[in-house]
Amino acid sequence: MNIVKKAAVGLSLAIALVASAQAQVTQTLSQSGTDQYAWLNSGRIDFGGVTLAAGTNTIYALTSSSTLVDQGWGYTDPNNGVFIGLFQGTTQVFGFLAAGASHELATRNFDIADNNALLGQLNTALRGVSGSGPLSVRMYTDAWGYPGWELHTSNNSFSVTSGVSAVPETETYAMLLAGLALSGAIARRRKAVATEGDVK
C-alpha cells in the first residue's frame, strides 16, 4: 500500500507541474477608430498590439470587435476591413481578416473558437517561428485604394489568451508508463503474497 501511496503522490506532483507549465495570460487592446480615404491614406494602419511573453507557444483564445463601414461609392471589397496578425519584430508571420466592411455600418465580432482550423494554423505559425525578436499579436486595417473608396472604423478591440503549453518528450511518456507498470506489478505481487499468507 505504501508503494501505491507514493505513486499517487508522484502522479499528483506531475499533474501540478504540467498545470503550472500551462499558465495562461490574457491581454487586451482597445483603439478608438480610423478614417481612411482612397486618395489620402490607403494601405495599412496599425492599431497597436500586445507582446507575447518569452517562450509562448500556444494561443488558447482570441476575440475581437470592430464597428466599420466601407462608405465609398460603387464597389465594395469585403477584404477591406480589420485584420489580426502575428508578428516577429516588424515581420508578419501570419494574419487573417477579422472584420470585413460593407456599405452598412455594422459591428463585427470575431471569435477564433468558431474556427478550429484557423486556430490550428495560427498556433502552427507561432511554433514555427525561429530566431530572436519579440512576438506580438497586432490589429490593423489593410485597405486598398480603388477610386472613391472610404473605410471608417470605431470601437476596435481584441483579446488574446496565450501561454506555454508543456509538450512532454517521448522519453517522458516512456518513463511514466514504465513507472505505472512497475507500481501495478508491485501491487499485484503484494496482493498475491498476502493471499498466500491467508491460505496458510
Side-chain angles (χ1 to χ4, degrees):
M1 190 66 172
N2 206 10
I3 296 283
V4 175
K5 283 183 181 176
K6 287 181 181 177
V9 169
L11 188 58
S12 298
L13 286 173
I15 291 169
L17 285 172
V18 169
S20 66
Q22 293 179 339
Q24 298 178 10
V25 176
T26 299
Q27 297 169 285
T28 60
L29 172 87
S30 295
Q31 194 266 359
S32 58
T34 57
D35 294 299
Q36 287 180 273
Y37 304 89
W39 60 91
L40 183 63
N41 57 350
S42 62
R44 178 173 293 190
I45 293 182
D46 193 325
F47 296 174
V50 297
T51 301
L52 302 178
T56 296
N57 64 3
T58 303
I59 290 177
Y60 297 99
L62 194 155
T63 60
S64 71
S65 181
S66 293
T67 301
L68 67 169
V69 60
D70 182 343
Q71 196 171 327
W73 51 265
Y75 183 70
T76 62
D77 183 343
N79 291 319
N80 279 347
V82 176
F83 290 75
I84 295 178
L86 174 67
F87 289 78
Q88 181 178 30
T90 58
T91 303
Q92 183 167 345
V93 177
F94 187 80
F96 56 89
L97 179 67
S102 70
H103 277 327
E104 295 181 10
L105 181 68
T107 298
R108 312 270 185 203
N109 297 311
F110 172 83
D111 188 343
I112 204 165
D114 297 332
N115 190 335
N116 286 328
L118 182 62
L119 179 59
Q121 292 167 3
L122 176 59
N123 280 317
T124 298
L126 176 59
R127 293 175 186 141
V129 172
S130 60
S132 60
L135 290 173
S136 63
V137 177
R138 307 191 71 78
M139 193 176 203
Y140 57 93
T141 62
D142 196 2
W144 60 281
Y146 61 85
W149 153 115
E150 297 178 23
L151 177 66
H152 304 280
T153 72
S154 60
N155 302 317
N156 302 303
S157 65
F158 81 88
S159 172
V160 59
T161 301
S162 61
V164 180
S165 176
V167 181
E169 296 179 5
T170 307
E171 294 84 359
T172 305
Y173 282 119
M175 289 176 57
L176 176 63
L177 290 174
L180 289 173
L182 181 61
S183 296
I186 291 170
R188 281 194 302 276
R189 175 75 177 133
R190 287 186 167 216
K191 186 175 181 182
V193 169
T195 303
E196 288 175 13
D198 291 343
V199 170
K200 292 178 181 178

